[in-house]
Amino acid sequence: MKSPNTEPTSPLSRRTFLGKSGLFVGGSLLAGSSMRGYADETKPTGVATPLQNGEFMLPALPYAFDALAPHIDARTMEIHHDKHHAGYTKKLNAALAEQPELKKHSITTLLATLDHVDDSIRTAVRNNGGGYYNHALFWETMSPEGGKPSEALVKAIETDLGGMAGLKESLAKAAGSQFGSGWGWVYVSPEGKLAITSTPNQDNPLMKGVTDVLGMPILGIDVWEHAYYLHYQNRRADYIEAWFSVVNWARVSELYAVAKA
Ligand code: MN3
C-alpha cells in the first residue's frame, strides 16, 4: 500500500524530489548526472553488501571468530555475526518482500531515501537495513593486523580531526556518551570533510535528519551491549579503547578514497 505522501514516480521528478530533500548537497554524497531512477544515483560506499536472487545476503566474516581476540572475544563475534547480523539481514528481506519494487535499490539508496519507503515498512527497513549495512561496514573495518592509514587519510585526519589522537578522543567520546544502543562514526561529508558523530539504534549518517550533516561512513563502532557485554560487561570505555587496536586502517583508507572519488 502506498502512503499518501509518497514521492513522485517518474525518474525525472524523483530527481527533483531528491534535489529538494538535500541529497545532492555538495554534489558529492550522490552523483546525479543520469536520467535513471534514484536507485542508481547513490554513490557507492565500497562496503560489500551481496545480493542473490534479489535478496540481501549476510556478508561472510573476513576472518575467523577468534581473530580479534583478546580485544573482541570469539563467542561475541560468533553471536554478533551469525545471530544479530543474520537477524537484521533476514528481517530486512522480509520487510522488502512487502514492497518488492524497492528490491532493485542498493542498501545505501534505501537508507538515504527512507522517505520513499512505504509507512508500513519504513521502520523495519530503517532498523534492519541500518543493521544490515552498519555491520557489513563494521566487519570490514576491523582486522587482526590493524593496517596503516593512507597518506591521504592521515592528512585529512590531521586537517579535519586534529590528528589520530584527536580522532580517537572524539570518537571515543561520541561512542562512549551515546545513550543506550547505537554507533560511533567517522564519516565523509558531502564537502569531503571528515566528521565524527554518534547515532542511536541502527541509524547512520546516510539517513536524512539523523546527523547535522549527511555523509558516507568510513568507520563505525558498534556500542550496542551485544557487541561487548560478554567480555566487558558494563565497561564500554574499555571496549572502545581495545577496539582501536583492531581497526583496519588500510580498509578505512580505501573507503575514504571511495567517498572522496
Ligand atoms: Mn551489533
Side-chain angles (χ1 to χ4, degrees):
M1 209 174 69
K2 281 279 174 193
S3 62
N5 60 346
T6 192
E7 75 282 8
T9 49
S10 80
L12 189 60
S13 50
R14 270 180 175 159
R15 290 191 58 208
T16 307
F17 178 83
L18 285 174
K20 279 181 182 162
S21 65
L23 281 169
F24 288 118
V25 174
S28 174
L29 180 60
L30 301 181
S33 59
S34 78
M35 290 292 289
R36 295 171 295 182
Y38 74 90
D40 301 316
E41 296 185 2
T42 303
K43 193 173 162 183
T45 61
V47 175
T49 51
L51 276 162
Q52 198 174 81
N53 304 323
E55 303 249 300
F56 288 104
M57 306 295 291
L58 178 65
L61 202 61
Y63 34 74
F65 292 130
D66 63 359
L68 306 180
H71 308 292
I72 304 179
D73 65 281
R75 184 77 178 127
T76 295
M77 290 298 292
E78 182 176 3
I79 296 170
H80 201 173
H81 179 270
D82 287 9
K83 303 295 182 193
H84 290 278
H85 198 187
Y88 295 124
T89 308
K90 191 176 169 189
K91 288 176 185 166
L92 169 64
N93 288 320
L96 294 177
E98 302 291 316
Q99 196 184 346
E101 71 270 22
L102 291 178
K103 285 183 164 193
K104 61 179 181 281
H105 303 314
S106 68
I107 186 64
T108 47
T109 291
L110 289 171
L111 299 180
T113 56
L114 283 166
D115 44 356
H116 291 246
V117 176
D118 280 357
D119 291 348
S120 59
I121 61 165
R122 187 177 302 133
T123 300
V125 172
R126 177 181 194 151
N127 291 341
N128 297 296
Y132 177 72
Y133 176 81
N134 294 347
H135 289 87
L137 173 73
F138 188 54
W139 312 133
E140 283 190 15
T141 51
M142 294 189 288
S143 105
E145 287 84 29
K148 289 228 183 310
S150 66
E151 217 168 284
L153 181 58
V154 167
K155 199 175 267 185
I157 290 171
E158 276 168 12
T159 306
D160 300 335
L161 302 175
M164 189 57 91
L167 179 156
K168 287 184 178 175
E169 190 184 336
S170 301
L171 183 56
K173 194 174 167 192
S177 61
Q178 172 62 45
F179 183 75
S181 299
W183 291 75
W185 301 104
V186 178
Y187 69 105
V188 180
S189 76
E191 289 75 31
K193 297 278 187 203
L194 290 176
I196 288 177
T197 194
S198 69
T199 57
N201 306 314
Q202 294 295 351
D203 287 357
N204 68 42
L206 290 167
M207 299 174 182
K208 278 177 279 180
V210 170
T211 51
D212 291 343
V213 178
L214 280 170
M216 190 180 291
I218 60 169
L219 178 63
I221 176 169
D222 187 341
V223 292
W224 283 56
E225 284 188 344
H226 68 227
Y228 62 88
Y229 204 84
L230 284 183
H231 186 72
Y232 294 95
Q233 291 84 49
N234 63 324
R235 293 174 288 117
R236 185 190 282 188
D238 291 352
Y239 156 68
I240 293 170
E241 177 64 31
W243 169 83
F244 277 115
S245 305
V246 295
V247 171
N248 184 348
W249 290 107
R251 183 67 186 133
V252 176
S253 301
E254 290 172 359
L255 298 179
Y256 174 68
V258 171
K260 290 282 283 184

